[in-house]
mmCIF file of all heavy atoms in Angstrom:
data_model
loop_
_atom_site.group_PDB
_atom_site.id
_atom_site.type_symbol
_atom_site.label_atom_id
_atom_site.label_comp_id
_atom_site.label_asym_id
_atom_site.label_seq_id
_atom_site.Cartn_x
_atom_site.Cartn_y
_atom_site.Cartn_z
ATOM 1 N N GLU O 121 69.630 66.050 127.906
ATOM 2 C CA GLU O 121 68.732 66.885 128.737
ATOM 3 C C GLU O 121 69.561 68.098 129.275
ATOM 4 O O GLU O 121 70.581 67.919 129.875
ATOM 5 C CB GLU O 121 68.180 66.092 129.922
ATOM 6 C CG GLU O 121 67.277 64.953 129.541
ATOM 7 C CD GLU O 121 65.965 65.497 128.959
ATOM 8 O OE1 GLU O 121 65.625 66.680 129.167
ATOM 9 O OE2 GLU O 121 65.219 64.713 128.296
ATOM 10 N N PRO O 122 69.065 69.300 129.086
ATOM 11 C CA PRO O 122 69.835 70.530 129.443
ATOM 12 C C PRO O 122 69.546 70.941 130.930
ATOM 13 O O PRO O 122 69.091 72.073 131.163
ATOM 14 C CB PRO O 122 69.315 71.576 128.485
ATOM 15 C CG PRO O 122 67.903 71.171 128.202
ATOM 16 C CD PRO O 122 67.888 69.660 128.241
ATOM 17 N N ASP O 123 69.710 70.043 131.848
ATOM 18 C CA ASP O 123 69.411 70.354 133.237
ATOM 19 C C ASP O 123 70.700 70.495 134.102
ATOM 20 O O ASP O 123 70.653 70.405 135.285
ATOM 21 C CB ASP O 123 68.555 69.207 133.873
ATOM 22 C CG ASP O 123 69.222 67.856 133.780
ATOM 23 O OD1 ASP O 123 70.282 67.728 133.083
ATOM 24 O OD2 ASP O 123 68.745 66.893 134.373
ATOM 25 N N MET O 124 71.838 70.784 133.413
ATOM 26 C CA MET O 124 73.055 71.071 134.125
ATOM 27 C C MET O 124 73.536 72.447 133.874
ATOM 28 O O MET O 124 73.104 73.118 132.938
ATOM 29 C CB MET O 124 74.148 70.084 133.664
ATOM 30 C CG MET O 124 73.881 68.625 134.000
ATOM 31 S SD MET O 124 73.924 68.381 135.808
ATOM 32 C CE MET O 124 72.738 67.002 135.944
ATOM 33 N N SER O 125 74.417 72.946 134.742
ATOM 34 C CA SER O 125 74.965 74.287 134.628
ATOM 35 C C SER O 125 76.476 74.196 134.617
ATOM 36 O O SER O 125 77.095 73.499 135.376
ATOM 37 C CB SER O 125 74.541 75.163 135.837
ATOM 38 O OG SER O 125 75.113 76.432 135.779
ATOM 39 N N LEU O 126 77.062 74.958 133.687
ATOM 40 C CA LEU O 126 78.539 74.968 133.544
ATOM 41 C C LEU O 126 78.985 76.410 133.297
ATOM 42 O O LEU O 126 78.598 76.988 132.243
ATOM 43 C CB LEU O 126 79.006 74.032 132.424
ATOM 44 C CG LEU O 126 80.488 73.850 132.182
ATOM 45 C CD1 LEU O 126 81.105 73.172 133.418
ATOM 46 C CD2 LEU O 126 80.802 73.035 130.948
ATOM 47 N N GLY O 127 79.743 76.988 134.186
ATOM 48 C CA GLY O 127 80.203 78.409 134.012
ATOM 49 C C GLY O 127 78.985 79.358 134.045
ATOM 50 O O GLY O 127 79.094 80.418 133.403
ATOM 51 N N GLY O 128 77.987 79.086 134.831
ATOM 52 C CA GLY O 128 76.883 79.963 134.904
ATOM 53 C C GLY O 128 75.889 79.885 133.799
ATOM 54 O O GLY O 128 74.951 80.672 133.784
ATOM 55 N N ARG O 129 75.992 78.969 132.902
ATOM 56 C CA ARG O 129 75.051 78.841 131.799
ATOM 57 C C ARG O 129 74.541 77.415 131.736
ATOM 58 O O ARG O 129 75.246 76.442 132.075
ATOM 59 C CB ARG O 129 75.657 79.198 130.462
ATOM 60 C CG ARG O 129 76.867 78.356 130.075
ATOM 61 C CD ARG O 129 77.517 78.873 128.784
ATOM 62 N NE ARG O 129 78.669 78.060 128.410
ATOM 63 C CZ ARG O 129 78.511 76.937 127.671
ATOM 64 N NH1 ARG O 129 77.357 76.543 127.194
ATOM 65 N NH2 ARG O 129 79.634 76.242 127.324
ATOM 66 N N PRO O 130 73.302 77.218 131.308
ATOM 67 C CA PRO O 130 72.714 75.879 131.255
ATOM 68 C C PRO O 130 73.285 75.070 130.122
ATOM 69 O O PRO O 130 73.511 75.590 129.006
ATOM 70 C CB PRO O 130 71.212 76.124 131.045
ATOM 71 C CG PRO O 130 71.139 77.453 130.424
ATOM 72 C CD PRO O 130 72.317 78.265 130.990
ATOM 73 N N VAL O 131 73.657 73.782 130.409
ATOM 74 C CA VAL O 131 74.220 72.879 129.378
ATOM 75 C C VAL O 131 73.577 71.558 129.550
ATOM 76 O O VAL O 131 72.910 71.225 130.533
ATOM 77 C CB VAL O 131 75.740 72.755 129.480
ATOM 78 C CG1 VAL O 131 76.412 74.093 129.248
ATOM 79 C CG2 VAL O 131 76.123 72.226 130.858
ATOM 80 N N ASP O 132 73.714 70.681 128.568
ATOM 81 C CA ASP O 132 73.149 69.372 128.636
ATOM 82 C C ASP O 132 74.123 68.524 129.449
ATOM 83 O O ASP O 132 75.240 68.864 129.790
ATOM 84 C CB ASP O 132 72.988 68.751 127.209
ATOM 85 C CG ASP O 132 74.214 68.699 126.425
ATOM 86 O OD1 ASP O 132 75.106 67.868 126.712
ATOM 87 O OD2 ASP O 132 74.372 69.537 125.496
ATOM 88 N N ARG O 133 73.682 67.350 129.819
ATOM 89 C CA ARG O 133 74.424 66.435 130.671
ATOM 90 C C ARG O 133 75.732 66.002 130.063
ATOM 91 O O ARG O 133 76.760 65.901 130.754
ATOM 92 C CB ARG O 133 73.615 65.220 131.078
ATOM 93 C CG ARG O 133 72.341 65.569 131.811
ATOM 94 C CD ARG O 133 71.482 64.340 132.048
ATOM 95 N NE ARG O 133 70.195 64.635 132.743
ATOM 96 C CZ ARG O 133 69.216 63.797 132.988
ATOM 97 N NH1 ARG O 133 69.350 62.539 132.612
ATOM 98 N NH2 ARG O 133 68.157 64.212 133.655
ATOM 99 N N THR O 135 77.638 67.506 127.895
ATOM 100 C CA THR O 135 78.621 68.616 127.884
ATOM 101 C C THR O 135 79.250 68.809 129.289
ATOM 102 O O THR O 135 80.481 68.954 129.429
ATOM 103 C CB THR O 135 77.971 69.981 127.484
ATOM 104 O OG1 THR O 135 77.445 69.813 126.131
ATOM 105 C CG2 THR O 135 78.979 71.104 127.451
ATOM 106 N N ALA O 136 78.427 68.667 130.306
ATOM 107 C CA ALA O 136 78.922 68.812 131.631
ATOM 108 C C ALA O 136 79.854 67.602 132.005
ATOM 109 O O ALA O 136 80.907 67.761 132.586
ATOM 110 C CB ALA O 136 77.796 68.850 132.648
ATOM 111 N N ALA O 139 83.354 68.041 130.348
ATOM 112 C CA ALA O 139 84.205 69.018 131.024
ATOM 113 C C ALA O 139 84.836 68.371 132.281
ATOM 114 O O ALA O 139 86.013 68.594 132.510
ATOM 115 C CB ALA O 139 83.398 70.235 131.390
ATOM 116 N N GLN O 180 85.906 64.427 123.227
ATOM 117 C CA GLN O 180 85.267 65.622 122.749
ATOM 118 C C GLN O 180 84.439 65.399 121.471
ATOM 119 O O GLN O 180 83.498 66.076 121.198
ATOM 120 C CB GLN O 180 86.380 66.700 122.486
ATOM 121 C CG GLN O 180 87.100 67.244 123.724
ATOM 122 C CD GLN O 180 86.167 67.789 124.753
ATOM 123 O OE1 GLN O 180 85.202 68.475 124.415
ATOM 124 N NE2 GLN O 180 86.472 67.596 125.991
ATOM 125 N N MET O 259 64.966 72.596 135.664
ATOM 126 C CA MET O 259 65.941 73.401 134.939
ATOM 127 C C MET O 259 65.982 74.796 135.523
ATOM 128 O O MET O 259 64.924 75.371 135.794
ATOM 129 C CB MET O 259 65.593 73.394 133.451
ATOM 130 C CG MET O 259 66.530 74.226 132.555
ATOM 131 S SD MET O 259 66.106 74.209 130.821
ATOM 132 C CE MET O 259 64.374 74.773 130.871
ATOM 133 N N SER O 260 67.198 75.313 135.736
ATOM 134 C CA SER O 260 67.383 76.642 136.280
ATOM 135 C C SER O 260 67.385 77.663 135.182
ATOM 136 O O SER O 260 68.288 77.587 134.269
ATOM 137 C CB SER O 260 68.662 76.669 137.083
ATOM 138 O OG SER O 260 68.861 77.993 137.604
ATOM 139 N N VAL O 261 66.449 78.581 135.241
ATOM 140 C CA VAL O 261 66.384 79.674 134.209
ATOM 141 C C VAL O 261 66.320 81.024 134.971
ATOM 142 O O VAL O 261 65.333 81.294 135.661
ATOM 143 C CB VAL O 261 65.172 79.513 133.272
ATOM 144 C CG1 VAL O 261 65.113 80.676 132.279
ATOM 145 C CG2 VAL O 261 65.221 78.154 132.557
ATOM 146 N N PHE O 262 67.387 81.819 134.845
ATOM 147 C CA PHE O 262 67.477 83.120 135.552
ATOM 148 C C PHE O 262 67.204 82.972 137.013
ATOM 149 O O PHE O 262 66.538 83.796 137.659
ATOM 150 C CB PHE O 262 66.490 84.135 134.925
ATOM 151 C CG PHE O 262 66.739 84.395 133.477
ATOM 152 C CD1 PHE O 262 65.866 83.904 132.526
ATOM 153 C CD2 PHE O 262 67.849 85.135 133.091
ATOM 154 C CE1 PHE O 262 66.075 84.188 131.170
ATOM 155 C CE2 PHE O 262 68.049 85.386 131.713
ATOM 156 C CZ PHE O 262 67.219 84.910 130.770
ATOM 157 N N GLY O 263 67.761 81.846 137.561
ATOM 158 C CA GLY O 263 67.608 81.646 139.038
ATOM 159 C C GLY O 263 66.321 80.973 139.422
ATOM 160 O O GLY O 263 66.137 80.683 140.646
ATOM 161 N N THR O 297 76.762 69.545 138.157
ATOM 162 C CA THR O 297 78.149 69.518 137.754
ATOM 163 C C THR O 297 79.126 69.572 138.900
ATOM 164 O O THR O 297 80.157 68.927 138.869
ATOM 165 C CB THR O 297 78.419 70.702 136.746
ATOM 166 O OG1 THR O 297 77.464 70.653 135.700
ATOM 167 C CG2 THR O 297 79.813 70.574 136.115
#
Side-chain angles (χ1 to χ4, degrees):
E121 295 292 342
D123 58 350
M124 295 293 151
S125 176
L126 185 63
R129 60 184 181 87
V131 295
D132 57 74
R133 297 174 182 176
T135 301
Q180 295 301 324
M259 178 177 58
S260 177
V261 178
F262 300 108
T297 307

